[in-house]
C-alpha cells in the first residue's frame, strides 16, 4: 500500500473521529436538557392547578429563561421579571390613554416597541434583554386585548395581570428547578480566567523587559487576543452575580479589576512598542536596568504558572507593590529609561488592582472598597436610533396588515415581529442572520408541534403523557443549546414549541387554528427579517469611523482645555468606547483608539507639571498644534519643552517629577509620530 493511500485513510479516520466527537453528548448537556424539561413541566402543572387562562405562556417563559449556566438563568429570570412588569404596566397605561382610539393605541404600541428597541441597543447583557422584553410583553398582552381589526375590548387590566402572572410563574419555576439541581460554578470560572489573564499579562511584561518578547506583529496579535478575553469577562461577571449575592455586592470591585487588566495590558503594549523602536544595544541596556528591579516572586511568574488561591494572590500583590516602589526609586539616565520604568510600574499597579478582584472572589465577605464609577457618555446614539426607527416602521406595517385584512391572528404576528425586532437588534451585525436562523428553527418546531398535536397528544389522556411528548422535543433542544452549532435554531425550538403546542386544561385539536398561529409566527418573523434587510444596521466600518472621530474630537477638546477630565475618567471613557467597537474591528482601529488614550493621559499628566516649572506657555503651543492636527509641529514643540526641562539644574527641587515629565513627553511624541495619519484625520 502506498504512503498516499495510508495518509488518505488516516485523514478519513481522523475526520470520522472528529465527527463522532461532535455527536457525543456530554453529561452536562443532557442534564441541562432534563432541567429545561422539568422547569417547563412544573410551570405547566402550576398553571393548570391555578387554572390560569393561557398556560402556554408560563411554559414558554420557563423554556426561554432556562440557560446552561445557573447564574445566567437566574439573572435572565430576574431581568425578565422586571421587563414583564414594565411591559404590563405600559400596555395598561397605553390603553388608558387611548380608550376608544384604535389608531392612537396601535401607534402608541409601535412607539413603545421602538423605544424598547432603542434601550435594548444602549444597555448591555441581561439589562438589554429586560428592555427588549418590556417591548414585546406589551405586544403579547395586546395580542389578546385587541380584536380582529385592532379594537380594544376593555379588559386590558385583567389581561395584563393574567399574562404577567403566567410569565412570572414560568420564570419562578425555571429558576427553582435550576437552583435545586445546579450549584453553579460562575465565580470559580471567573476567578480562574482572571488569574490566567493576570498571569499571562505579567509573563508578557517580564519577557519583554528581559528581552525575550515576541516580534511586533506577534506581540500585537497576543495583545489583541488578551483584550478580547478581558472583554468577555463582563458576561461571566453577570453570571457570577446571579449565583452569589456576595459576588453581586462586590460587582464594582470586579469591574475595577477588569479595568485593571486592560490598563496593565495597555501599559505592557506601550513598553513593547517603545522598545521595538529603539536600537538593539540601547534596548538591551535599558531592559537590563529595569528587569533587575523585579522581586523573585514576579520573575517566577514569568513562566506563566497560574495562581492557586487567596494566599498566592495576596503574596503576588505585595510583590507588585514592592516592584513598583523599586521602579519609581530607580535612577534613570535618559527619558527612555524613565518611560519604560514608569509604564512597567503602571502595568504592575493595574495588575495589583486586578489581583484585588481575585481576593474578593476568594473571600466575598470583605467590605466593598471600590470607588463609584463616573457616569460615562453613550459612545454612539446612531445605531440605537436606527433600530428604534426600524422597529417602529416594521411593527406599524404589520399592524396595518392586520387591520386591513381583519386577520384573527394578526395580533400574534405583531407580537412575534416585536420579539425579533427588539431582541435581535441588540446585536446589529448578526440581526438579519439570527432572524433567518430563528425562522428555520421555527419551521422545524412547526413540524414537530404538528406531529405532537395531531398524532401523539390525542393518544394521551393524562398530564404525564403531555410531559412525555414535550420531553421528546425539549430534552434534545436543551442538549443542542449547549453546543456551538446554530444556536438561534435551538433557541427557536425551545421558545416557540410550547406556544405552537398550546397546552391547556381542556385540549382542543383545531387544525385551522394551529396553522393560523404558525402562519402568524412566520409573518411576524418574516416582517422583522425584511425590515433588517431593507433597513440594514450601520456598517461596522462606519461605526468604527464614528467612534474614532468622536474620540479625536474629544482629544482635541482636551488639548484645548475645553474638556476637563482626570486621567482615570479619560481612561474609563476610552475603555467604554473600546467595548462599543464592533467584534470585527481591525486591530489597527483598536490601536488608534488606544493611541488616543495614551496621548490624552500624557496631556493630563503634563499640564500641571508644565505649570509648576513655568513652562505652561510652551506646552500650550504644543497642545494647540495637537488640536490643529499638525503632528509635526506638535512633536517639534514637545522637543523644545523636553530640552527646557533638561536644562533645569538638578539641584532645583522636583527632579523626579521632571524625569517623569520627560518620559511622558517621549510617550506623547512617539505616539503622535506612530499614529500620525489618525491624529491628522478630519473627524466625521
Amino acid at each position: 500500500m502506498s504512503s498516499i493511500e495510508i495518509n488518505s485513510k488516516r485523514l478519513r479516520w481522523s475526520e470520522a473521529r472528529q465527527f463522532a466527537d461532535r455527536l457525543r453528548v456530554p453529561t452536562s448537556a443532557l442534564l441541562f436538557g432534563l432541567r429545561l424539561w422539568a422547569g417547563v413541566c412544573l410551570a405547566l402543572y402550576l398553571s393548570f392547578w391555578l387554572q390560569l387562562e393561557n398556560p402556554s405562556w408560563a411554559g414558554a417563559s420557563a423554556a426561554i429563561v432556562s440557560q446552561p449556566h445557573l447564574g445566567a438563568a437566574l439573572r435572565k429570570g430576574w431581568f425578565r421579571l422586571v421587563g414583564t412588569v414594565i411591559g404590563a404596566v405600559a400596555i395598561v397605561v397605553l390603553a388608558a390613554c387611548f380608550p376608544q382610539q384604535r389608531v392612537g393605541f396601535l401607534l402608541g404600541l409601535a412607539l413603545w416597541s421602538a423605544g424598547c428597541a432603542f434601550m435594548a441597543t444602549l444597555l448591555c447583557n441581561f439589562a438589554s434583554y429586560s428592555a427588549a422584553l418590556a417591548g414585546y410583553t406589551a405586544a403579547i398582552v395586546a395580542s389578546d386585548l385587541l380584536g380582529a381589526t385592532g379594537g380594544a375590548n376593555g379588559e386590558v387590566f385583567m389581561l395584563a395581570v393574567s399574562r404577567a402572572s403566567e410569565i412570572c410563574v414560568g420564570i419562578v419555576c425555571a429558576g427553582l428547578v435550576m437552583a435545586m439541581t445546579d450549584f453553579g460554578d460562575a465565580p470559580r470560572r471567573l476567578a480562574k480566567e482572571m488569574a490566567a489573564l493576570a498571569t499571562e499579562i505579567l509573563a508578557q511584561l517580564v519577557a519583554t523587559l528581559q528581552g525575550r518578547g515576541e516580534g511586533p506583529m506577534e506581540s500585537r496579535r497576543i495583545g489583541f487576543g488578551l483584550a478580547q478575553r478581558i472583554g468577555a469577562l463582563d458576561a461571566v461577571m453577570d453570571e457570577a452575580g446571579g449565583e452569589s449575592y456576595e459576588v453581586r455586592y462586590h460587582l464594582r470591585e470586579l469591574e475595577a479589576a477588569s479595568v485593571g487588566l486592560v490598563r496593565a495590558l495597555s501599559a505592557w503594549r506601550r513598553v513593547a512598542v517603545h522598545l521595538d523602536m529603539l536600537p538593539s544595544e540601547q534596548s538591551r541596556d535599558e531592559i537590563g536596568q529595569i528587569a533587575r528591579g523585579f522581586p523573585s516572586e514576579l520573575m517566577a511568574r514569568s513562566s506563566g504558572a497560574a495562581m492557586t488561591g487567596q494566599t498566592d494572590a495576596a503574596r503576588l500583590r505585595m510583590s507588585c507593590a514592592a516592584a513598583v516602589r523599586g521602579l519609581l526609586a530607580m535612577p534613570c539616565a535618559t527619558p527612555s529609561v524613565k518611560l519604560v520604568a514608569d509604564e512597567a510600574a503602571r502595568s504592575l499597579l493595574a495588575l495589583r488592582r486586578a489581583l484585588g478582584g481575585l481576593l474578593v472572589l476568594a473571600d466575598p465577605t470583605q467590605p466593598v472598597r471600590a470607588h463609584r464609577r463616573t457616569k460615562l457618555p453613550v459612545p454612539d446614539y446612531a445605531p440605537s436610533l436606527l433600530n428604534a426607527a426600524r422597529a417602529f416602521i416594521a411593527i406599524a406595517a404589520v399592524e396595518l396588515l392586520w387591520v386591513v385584512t381583519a386577520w384573527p391572528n394578526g395580533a400574534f404576528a405583531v407580537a412575534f415581529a416585536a420579539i425579533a425586532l427588539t431582541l435581535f437588534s441588540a446585536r446589529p451585525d448578526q440581526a438579519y442572520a439570527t432572524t433567518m436562523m430563528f425562522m428555520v428553527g421555527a419551521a422545524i418546531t412547526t413540524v414537530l408541534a404538528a406531529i405532537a398535536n395531531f398524532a401523539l397528544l390525542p393518544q394521551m389522556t393524562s398530564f404525564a403523557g403531555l410531559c412525555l411528548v414535550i420531553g421528546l422535543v425539549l430534552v434534545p433542544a436543551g442538549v443542542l443549546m449547549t453546543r456551538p452549532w446554530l444556536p438561534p435554531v435551538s433557541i427557536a425550538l425551545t421558545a416557540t414549541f410550547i406556544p405552537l403546542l398550546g397546552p391547556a386544561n381542556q385540549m382542543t385539536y383545531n387544525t385551522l387554528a394551529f396553522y393560523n398561529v404558525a402562519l402568524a409566527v412566520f409573518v411576524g418573523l418574516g416582517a422583522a427579517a425584511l425590515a433588517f434587510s431593507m433597513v440594514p444596521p450601520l456598517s461596522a466600518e462606519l461605526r468604527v469611523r464614528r467612534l474614532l472621530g468622536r474620540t479625536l474630537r474629544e482629544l482635541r477638546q482636551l488639548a484645548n482645555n475645553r474638556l476637563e477630565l482626570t486621567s482615570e475618567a479619560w481612561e474609563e471613557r476610552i475603555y467604554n468606547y473600546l467595548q462599543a467597537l464592533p467584534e470585527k474591528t481591525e486591530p489597527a482601529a483598536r490601536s488608534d483608539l488606544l493611541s488616543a488614550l495614551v496621548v490624552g493621559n500624557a496631556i493630563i499628566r503634563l499640564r500641571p507639571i508644565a505649570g509648576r516649572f513655568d513652562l505652561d506657555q510652551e506646552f500650550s503651543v504644543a497642545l494647540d498644534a495637537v488640536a490643529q492636527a499638525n503632528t509635526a509641529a506638535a512633536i517639534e514643540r514637545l522637543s523644545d519643552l523636553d530640552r527646557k526641562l533638561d536644562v533645569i539644574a538638578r539641584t532645583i527641587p522636583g527632579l523626579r517629577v521632571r524625569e517623569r515629565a520627560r518620559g511622558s513627553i517621549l510617550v506623547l511624541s512617539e505616539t503622535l509620530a506612530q499614529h500620525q495619519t489618525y491624529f491628522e484625520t478630519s473627524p466625521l
Side-chain angles (χ1 to χ4, degrees), residues 445-510:
T445 309
T446 301
V447 175
L448 296 176
I451 294 172
N453 239 329
F454 305 120
L456 300 179
L457 285 181
Q459 313 301 322
M460 305 294 178
T461 58
S462 64
F463 181 75
L466 172 65
C467 291
L468 178 62
V469 172
I470 291 174
L472 293 176
V473 175
L474 289 188
V475 173
V479 172
L480 288 176
M481 281 182 67
T482 65
R483 313 301 290 169
W485 312 332
L486 308 176
V489 175
S490 56
I491 293 173
L493 284 171
T494 59
T496 60
F497 179 69
I498 299 298
L500 286 171
L501 195 66
N505 271 313
Q506 186 65 41
M507 290 292 294
T508 58
Y509 304 103
N510 188 324

Side-chain angles (χ1 to χ4, degrees), residues 542-598:
L542 179 57
R543 301 207 313 271
V544 169
R545 288 203 305 272
R546 287 177 60 86
L547 281 171
L548 290 176
R550 174 170 183 168
T551 305
L552 196 53
R553 285 194 301 272
E554 292 180 350
L555 179 65
R556 290 171 182 173
Q557 291 172 1
L558 191 68
N560 282 331
N561 211 11
R562 289 188 287 116
L563 182 64
E564 296 182 3
L565 293 173
T566 63
S567 180
E568 185 171 349
W570 176 251
E571 284 184 350
E572 288 182 349
R573 181 172 292 216
I574 299 302
Y575 294 149
N576 186 37
Y577 294 168
L578 276 170
Q579 289 182 338
L581 287 173
E583 294 180 2
K584 297 180 180 179
T585 303
E586 294 292 331
R590 295 182 185 273
S591 182
D592 285 339
L593 200 56
L594 286 173
S595 70
L597 168 66
V598 174

Side-chain angles (χ1 to χ4, degrees), residues 53-65:
E53 182 182 354
N54 197 339
S56 64
W57 285 118
S61 297
I64 290 171
V65 300

Side-chain angles (χ1 to χ4, degrees), residues 579-659:
Q579 289 182 338
L581 287 173
E583 294 180 2
K584 297 180 180 179
T585 303
E586 294 292 331
R590 295 182 185 273
S591 182
D592 285 339
L593 200 56
L594 286 173
S595 70
L597 168 66
V598 174
V599 171
N601 269 340
I603 290 172
I604 294 170
R605 287 196 294 264
L606 284 170
R607 184 169 274 132
I609 297 175
R612 176 178 174 180
F613 296 103
D614 297 326
L615 295 172
D616 45 359
Q617 182 62 36
E618 289 81 354
F619 188 51
S620 295
V621 173
L623 292 185
D624 288 341
V626 172
Q628 295 167 10
N630 190 346
T631 55
I635 293 171
E636 186 177 348
R637 299 287 81 77
L638 288 170
S639 298
D640 294 340
L641 180 62
D642 179 68
R643 284 192 293 270
K644 290 185 178 182
L645 284 171
D646 188 32
V647 298
I648 297 176
R650 299 179 67 85
T651 56
I652 295 178
L655 176 61
R656 293 285 186 190
V657 175
R658 293 195 298 275
E659 288 179 343

Side-chain angles (χ1 to χ4, degrees), residues 390-457:
R390 182 197 300 114
F392 176 78
I393 294 170
I395 292 173
V398 178
E399 288 174 343
L400 180 62
L401 173 67
W402 168 30
V403 172
V404 169
T405 60
W407 179 23
N409 290 92
F412 208 65
V414 174
F416 269 87
I419 288 173
L421 288 163
T422 55
L423 195 59
F424 301 150
S425 61
R427 304 189 69 179
D429 293 334
Q430 304 171 13
Y432 176 74
T434 301
T435 306
M436 295 303 295
M437 295 305 298
F438 199 88
M439 287 184 68
V440 172
I444 297 172
T445 309
T446 301
V447 175
L448 296 176
I451 294 172
N453 239 329
F454 305 120
L456 300 179
L457 285 181

Side-chain angles (χ1 to χ4, degrees), residues 235-260:
V236 187
M237 271 189 261
D238 249 1
E239 290 182 30
E243 291 181 9
S244 168
Y245 172 77
E246 289 87 358
V247 172
R248 187 161 63 252
Y249 182 65
H250 288 279
L251 273 180
R252 284 203 190 103
E253 287 177 281
L254 294 174
E255 289 171 356
S258 177
V259 171

